[in-house]
């Protein structure tokens, strides 16, 4: 985080990949023995509570060795490479190369990426658990700026809800799908000895709802430091909470409430939708009015050339190997402002991507081009698509009208579409991916809606009847450490 010199250090615990905050009132860099619980004096006042909550945001980033990797790079990467519109070039560093294999060799218990995702999310949860355990014990410090203990604890609850939502989205089948008894373990307290079994999918979503409800004290707009408006998008606030509610309700198929909470975000005048004329400069300038929450990176706080999202995705990055498919690029019409703004057929650097051995040739993604560029987690336009998906299931005529109006107004003045039935759902999801490619949605969107696919570049095929489409395997390391956890059938 910007201007934050002290960060939360963590201690590994074998079961569940759990980690606990280790800190003292003045120094959050002190390490405890891995067998000891966090010190009781770690969070003693509002100042240390605030530092601990900021530590959660640090843990959501990708660090310099890639061992902590979730929202900052790994989640958006997997959503595209495991979907139908992204691929790893034949010219690659071996990173993520298993995702391009039609034999589905990525989906194995030994996958380092799956292990990293599991560990990283449970590490964030463990730190959130420790923070939440102090709820009710910290008094308000009237000398501090606009934060309060209630708001800080609300942020911790929202972070925990986000992590459990991501875990159950990847490691379990959708609501109503196969093996509903196999959600993910629900850890709510620090206990190094616990070896938790998997809770049901319903129980995990119930816990997500409890955390969202517990986050109601969150600020309308987080302006944690008076006179510094740049903090507005760096901390989770009311709009982010409403967006998470809309994601949650879509996941449990409560489309009426998904519509309600999407509309709450759209009605929030603290943020404004990205317009036709703002598309070209959106990813090149931070603090945009469209952005609700983003992970901050600076020159002093970045993942480095090997591990950030630009390392593999941008043609100017070190490995320049992950790309959009030409079939995806060709979905954009010549009048769609996103086409030239966010994608390139030539890229930058040497050798040119036009010389790569892939057929068709790769399409460069220009959203993230610098390692210290902030990674967007919530932006207002997502509420448009959450609402469209909800309306597809409850009022498809309205969904069609709103879809056409939004695309024509905000992205492509020449846009025409009149499809119905599943063609309308596919168009909603297609337009969402055209808007949010590499922002963390495609694979889980397809899975949630039961839309199988074949990637035109790699020929990887997934459908709802396949275990690989239903759930990731529990990592082998976790199975070895925790005898109480059940593997997903087929792995």
């Amino acid at each position: 985080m910007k201007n934050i010199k002290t960060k939360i250090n963590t201690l590994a615990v074998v079961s569940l990949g759990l980690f606990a905050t280790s800190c003292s009132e003045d120094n959050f860099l002190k390490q405890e023995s891995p067998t000891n619980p966090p010190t009781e004096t770690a969070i003693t006042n509002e100042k240390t509570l605030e530092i601990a909550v900021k530590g959660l945001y640090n843990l959501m980033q990708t660090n310099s060795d890639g061992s902590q990797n979730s929202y900052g790079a790994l989640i958006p990467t997997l959503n595209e490479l495991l979907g139908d519109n992204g691929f790893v070039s034949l010219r690659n560093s071996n990173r993520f190369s298993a995702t391009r294999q039609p034999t589905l060799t990525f989906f194995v218990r030994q996958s380092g990426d799956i292990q990293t995702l599991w560990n990283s999310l449970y590490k964030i949860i463990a730190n959130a658990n420790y923070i939440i355990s102090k709820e009710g014990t910290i008094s308000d410090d009237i000398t501090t700026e606009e934060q309060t203990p209630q708001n800080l604890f609300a942020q911790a609850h929202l972070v925990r809800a986000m992590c459990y939502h991501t875990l159950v989205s990847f490691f379990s089948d959708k609501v109503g799908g196969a093996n509903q008894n196999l959600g993910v373990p629900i850890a709510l307290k620090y206990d190094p000895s616990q070896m938790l079994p998997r809770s049901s999918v319903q129980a995990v979503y119930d816990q997500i709802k409890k955390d969202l409800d517990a986050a109601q004290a969150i600020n309308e707009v987080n302006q944690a430091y008076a006179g510094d408006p740049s903090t507005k998008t760096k901390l989770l606030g009311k709009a982010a909470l409403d967006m998470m509610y809309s994601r949650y309700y879509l996941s449990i198929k409560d489309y009426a409430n998904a519509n309600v909470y999407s509309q709450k975000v759209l009605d929030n005048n603290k943020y404004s939708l990205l317009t036709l004329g703002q598309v070209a400069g959106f990813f090149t300038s931070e603090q945009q009015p469209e952005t609700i929450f983003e992970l901050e990176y600076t020159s002093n706080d970045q993942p480095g050339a090997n591990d950030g999202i630009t390392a593999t995705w941008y043609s100017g990055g070190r490995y320049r190997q992950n790309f959009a498919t030409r079939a995806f690029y060709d979905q954009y019409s010549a009048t769609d402002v996103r086409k030239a703004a966010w994608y390139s057929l030539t890229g930058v650097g040497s050798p040119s991507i036009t010389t790569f051995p892939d057929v068709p040739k790769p399409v460069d993604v220009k959203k993230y081009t610098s390692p210290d560029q902030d990674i967007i987690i919530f932006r207002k336009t997502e509420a448009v698509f959450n609402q469209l998906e909800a309306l597809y299931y409850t009022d498809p005529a309205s969904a069609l009208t709103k879809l056409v109006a939004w695309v024509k107004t905000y992205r492509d003045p020449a846009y025409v579409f009149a499809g119905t039935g599943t063609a309308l759902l596919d168009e909603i999801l297609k337009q969402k991916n055209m808007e949010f490619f590499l922002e963390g949605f495609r694979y889980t969107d397809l899975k949630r809606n039961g839309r199988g696919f074949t990637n035109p570049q790699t020929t990887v095929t997934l459908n709802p009847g396949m275990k690989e489409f239903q759930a990731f395997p529990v990592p082998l390391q976790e199975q070895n450490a925790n005898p109480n956890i059940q593997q997903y059938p087929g792995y």
Side-chain angles (χ1 to χ4, degrees):
M1 305 293 292
K2 184 182 292 183
N3 298 326
I4 295 172
K5 304 301 183 184
T6 54
K7 292 189 177 182
I8 305 297
N9 269 337
T10 53
L11 305 173
V13 177
V14 174
S15 178
L16 282 177
L18 291 182
F19 298 73
T21 302
S22 171
C23 52
S24 67
E25 181 172 344
D26 299 316
N27 181 11
F28 277 73
L29 301 177
K30 177 184 175 184
Q31 290 194 348
E32 302 285 323
S33 164
T35 61
N36 293 334
T39 62
E40 289 303 315
T41 59
I43 297 176
T44 58
N45 54 35
E46 188 175 321
K47 177 182 176 182
T48 51
L49 172 62
E50 183 176 0
I51 294 172
V53 170
K54 289 174 182 174
L56 296 179
Y57 299 128
N58 291 330
L59 292 174
M60 296 171 78
Q61 297 176 332
T62 298
N63 63 14
S64 59
D65 65 3
S67 59
Q68 184 67 25
N69 194 346
S70 57
Y71 296 97
L74 188 56
I75 290 168
T77 292
L78 294 182
N79 262 287
E80 299 305 342
L81 296 184
L82 299 179
D84 54 344
N85 293 318
F87 73 103
V88 176
S89 172
L90 290 168
R91 182 186 183 276
N92 65 71
S93 66
N94 203 38
R95 287 166 171 78
F96 305 110
S97 60
T99 62
R100 63 168 294 122
Q101 301 304 322
T103 52
L104 305 180
T105 54
F106 173 82
F107 298 90
V108 294
R109 297 178 301 157
Q110 299 87 348
S111 168
D113 295 317
I114 291 176
Q115 177 73 55
T116 297
L117 180 64
W118 177 277
N119 282 354
S120 295
L121 290 169
Y122 273 113
K123 182 176 181 179
I124 300 168
I125 288 169
N127 280 268
N129 287 346
Y130 180 62
I131 293 169
I132 292 168
S133 74
K134 301 299 181 179
E135 200 163 9
T137 69
I138 306 299
S139 59
D140 190 11
D141 183 349
I142 61 173
T143 67
T144 62
E145 294 168 332
E146 297 177 27
Q147 300 272 46
T148 65
Q150 292 77 16
N151 174 51
L152 291 165
F153 285 120
Q155 291 175 57
H157 278 287
L158 181 49
V159 168
R160 188 166 73 177
M162 291 170 62
C163 290
Y164 275 120
H165 187 265
T166 302
L167 281 164
V168 76
S169 295
F170 278 109
F171 289 93
S172 304
D173 202 1
K174 64 179 182 177
V175 168
N179 302 296
Q180 292 293 286
N181 61 314
L182 297 179
V184 296
I186 302 175
L188 299 177
K189 63 180 181 178
Y190 175 83
D191 181 357
S193 65
Q194 65 184 342
M195 295 186 179
L196 298 174
R198 298 174 77 138
S199 297
S200 68
V201 171
Q202 182 63 54
V204 178
Y205 280 108
D206 288 346
Q207 179 55 46
I208 293 167
K209 177 62 160 53
K210 290 176 184 177
D211 273 323
L212 294 178
D213 291 346
Q216 289 297 320
I218 208 161
N219 285 354
E220 172 64 25
V221 176
N222 274 306
Q223 294 173 319
Y225 302 97
D228 183 3
S230 70
T231 61
K232 176 179 150 184
T233 63
K234 309 307 182 186
L235 303 175
L236 291 163
K238 184 64 167 61
L241 175 60
D242 287 339
M243 193 78 85
M244 266 309 302
Y245 268 118
S246 74
R247 290 185 184 183
Y248 160 78
Y249 282 119
L250 278 183
S251 296
I252 67 167
K253 303 181 181 180
D254 183 343
Y255 299 117
N257 272 315
N259 182 26
V260 167
Y261 279 92
S262 298
Q263 191 61 49
K264 285 177 180 287
V265 178
L266 294 173
D267 290 340
N268 190 325
N269 61 11
K270 305 295 183 182
Y271 308 90
S272 57
L273 289 173
L274 181 63
T275 66
L276 196 69
Q278 294 171 333
V279 168
F282 181 65
F283 285 96
T284 60
S285 177
E286 298 174 1
Q287 305 302 323
Q288 297 275 9
E290 157 92 352
T291 304
I292 292 171
F293 172 65
E294 57 193 342
L295 296 178
E296 183 176 29
Y297 291 99
T298 71
S299 58
N300 296 320
D301 180 19
Q302 63 182 25
N306 283 322
D307 302 297
I309 200 165
T310 58
T312 53
W313 276 102
Y314 180 49
S315 65
R318 172 161 293 182
Y319 302 109
R320 52 200 319 261
Q321 61 164 61
N322 299 349
F323 300 99
T325 68
R326 183 60 186 259
F328 170 72
Y329 176 82
D330 288 343
Q331 292 177 132
Y332 294 91
S333 74
T335 52
D336 193 313
V337 294
R338 296 170 292 192
K339 189 171 191 175
W342 296 347
Y343 304 96
S344 171
L345 296 179
T346 57
V348 299
S350 179
S352 169
I353 63 172
T354 61
T355 68
F356 279 27
D358 309 282
V359 180
K361 297 299 181 184
V363 176
D364 195 21
V365 184
K366 299 190 295 180
K367 287 187 173 181
Y368 296 112
T369 60
S370 171
D372 62 359
Q373 195 170 342
D374 293 352
I375 303 297
I376 296 171
I377 308 300
F378 295 113
R379 59 183 176 99
K380 191 167 186 174
T381 298
E382 183 194 338
V384 172
F385 284 94
N386 290 356
Q387 183 173 72
L388 288 172
E389 184 177 329
L391 288 173
Y392 166 77
Y393 289 102
T394 58
D395 186 359
S398 179
L400 175 61
T401 299
K402 286 179 178 288
L403 171 67
V404 173
W406 179 84
V407 178
K408 286 177 67 69
T409 302
Y410 292 93
R411 299 297 181 265
D412 182 1
Y415 178 73
V416 176
F417 180 78
T420 59
T422 56
L424 173 58
L425 175 60
D426 289 340
E427 182 67 14
I428 291 169
L429 297 178
K430 183 184 87 170
Q431 285 293 331
K432 182 177 180 181
N433 197 215
M434 291 168 70
E435 178 70 15
F436 289 96
F437 190 96
L438 200 54
E439 296 182 54
F441 294 100
R442 186 58 172 174
Y443 173 77
T444 47
D445 280 352
L446 292 171
K447 174 180 170 179
R448 183 178 63 253
N449 288 281
R451 308 306 292 163
F453 65 88
T454 296
N455 186 302
Q457 191 86 23
T458 64
T459 72
V460 169
T461 298
L462 290 174
N463 62 64
M466 301 167 65
K467 68 179 188 298
E468 293 87 355
F469 196 54
Q470 295 167 6
F472 285 1
V474 173
L476 180 61
Q477 184 183 86
E478 180 62 32
Q479 272 197 289
N480 290 338
N482 180 5
N484 295 325
I485 196 163
Q486 183 179 348
Q487 182 58 269
Y488 199 84
Y491 288 112

